[in-house]
Amino acid sequence: MWHILTSSVKGRSHRRSGAPLQDRTCVLREKGVIAAALADGAGSAAKSQEGADAAVKATCDFLCQNFETLYRAETPLALRRAVLTQARDAVERRARELNVPVRDLACTLMAVAVKDDRYLIIHVGDGVIAYQKKEMVRVASVPCNGEFANNTVFLTSSDALRRCKVYKGVQPELEGFCLMSDGSGAALYNKRKERSAPILKILFQQAQMLNRDVASEILEKIMQRIVAVRTQDDCSVILLTREGSRFGCWARLTDREKAAILGVRTGKRSKRRRQINHYSAEYGVN
């Protein structure tokens, strides 16, 4: 069983201008598959949130309905073509419904689908996909930029099929995945070193050690107070964690690690210990 946490918040520029949130996320469980997709609408495209919405919904549905066929695809190209065709067709249909050019719905796309110990990963454009294995957080797929560093590849780009990245495998030791939009990557990913930021480890721990409502509440605060303030862009995250994986038993964690997970902020050791005991009891972690 896999558990899901999601969060999407407006970036600073969209909050100031009143523009809509352009990121979209989707999670679907069907046929023993759990699929999660995140799309980041292009800031320069007038209806990019519509394209992002169509893309994530179509992708999750297609991955759930066709996981076995896609997993057995003979080549990476066949897998890329199958998934991107469905996503692009959905975006094109939405553009026709809105009577606007498809370029107005430009967006990136990243998705993960898991069935038992098998997984599929699809990634077009910027954003980052990370994973957790044996209590370590690593990066599965780095951002794909265009010709220039501040450009990216969109689902509607002419070279999307060529630039799309896909991965598949069997990995019983996988404990979780994190999909993050480019905006979230400003706080959760170190571009220069191409590795996740330390705070991502805390997000995984919170998702695994706290009950869903508490973990969701804390994630939302972190997105608002720590992640979104680092960027002008919209910020979205999807966390998938496998039931039973506890990313370091609670009893093995230091007081500082426990404080970070529980959101306790105090430098005084005795006060920190009291707050840890209070919140760990309230949240049901031990």
Side-chain angles (χ1 to χ4, degrees):
M1 175 68 72
W2 290 76
H3 298 288
I4 304 292
L5 289 178
T6 67
S7 178
S8 294
V9 299
K10 281 187 181 183
R12 295 203 309 268
S13 63
H14 284 181
R15 290 199 301 271
R16 285 196 302 267
S17 67
L21 178 75
Q22 292 176 312
D23 289 356
R24 289 294 186 271
T25 62
C26 181
V27 178
L28 185 63
R29 301 175 190 261
E30 284 189 7
K31 294 188 173 183
V33 178
I34 181 165
L38 188 160
D40 181 352
S44 59
K47 298 285 185 180
S48 64
Q49 70 274 14
E50 294 286 347
D53 182 70
V56 295
K57 290 177 179 176
T59 299
C60 283
D61 182 66
F62 188 66
L63 289 171
C64 284
Q65 300 302 322
N66 300 275
F67 184 92
E68 296 295 346
T69 301
L70 294 170
Y71 193 84
R72 294 194 301 267
E74 293 184 358
T75 65
L77 177 59
L79 175 55
R80 294 200 306 266
R81 180 178 286 118
V83 177
L84 292 197
T85 297
Q86 293 296 316
R88 291 183 64 161
D89 285 353
V91 172
E92 290 171 1
R93 284 194 301 271
R94 186 70 61 86
R96 290 194 296 269
E97 292 169 3
L98 297 172
N99 195 29
V100 297
V102 71
R103 65 176 178 272
D104 284 355
L105 276 68
C107 63
T108 64
L109 177 66
M110 64 182 78
V112 170
V114 180
K115 185 175 184 181
D116 301 322
D117 293 330
R118 294 174 294 162
Y119 65 88
L120 294 170
I121 296 175
I122 299 93
H123 191 179
V124 181
D126 55 23
V128 178
I129 301 176
Y131 68 97
Q132 174 189 310
K133 176 184 174 184
K134 293 184 177 180
E135 303 187 6
M136 297 292 292
V137 178
R138 299 180 175 89
V139 174
S141 186
V142 301
C144 178
N145 295 109
E147 183 178 355
F148 302 101
N150 60 342
N151 291 339
T152 191
V153 179
F154 296 113
L155 181 61
T156 52
S157 300
S158 58
D159 60 346
L161 180 61
R162 180 175 62 86
R163 303 292 295 277
C164 175
K165 295 177 286 185
V166 294
Y167 309 94
K168 67 178 181 179
V170 181
Q171 186 50 264
E173 294 175 331
L174 275 176
E175 298 160 340
F177 287 100
C178 178
L179 289 72
M180 66 186 86
S181 65
D182 186 52
S184 296
L188 304 180
Y189 174 67
N190 186 319
K191 288 185 178 181
R192 184 174 62 85
K193 296 183 178 180
E194 293 191 346
R195 68 186 185 193
S196 63
I199 191 174
L200 186 55
K201 176 179 178 179
I202 295 173
L203 296 185
F204 272 116
Q205 289 175 318
Q206 289 171 341
Q208 293 162 337
M209 293 185 176
L210 305 179
N211 72 54
R212 188 183 185 282
D213 290 343
V214 172
S216 181
E217 178 184 343
I218 295 177
L219 174 61
E220 195 68 22
K221 290 178 180 178
I222 289 174
M223 292 292 287
Q224 293 281 0
R225 300 174 184 178
I226 298 177
V227 177
V229 298
R230 299 281 297 272
T231 178
Q232 299 289 333
D233 294 340
D234 293 338
C235 302
S236 294
V237 163
I238 303 177
L239 279 166
L240 296 83
T241 56
R242 194 194 293 262
E243 186 176 85
S245 60
R246 286 183 61 83
F247 198 28
C249 176
W250 185 257
R252 285 176 21 218
L253 302 179
T254 67
D255 280 355
R256 288 188 180 277
E257 290 172 326
K258 292 176 181 178
I261 293 169
L262 296 171
V264 170
R265 293 180 178 275
T266 175
K268 295 183 178 180
R269 184 177 299 177
S270 60
K271 186 176 181 180
R272 182 170 63 218
R273 175 62 63 81
R274 288 196 301 271
Q275 290 188 6
I276 288 172
N277 292 339
H278 171 76
Y279 286 113
S280 61
E282 181 177 334
Y283 297 158
V285 292
N286 48 54

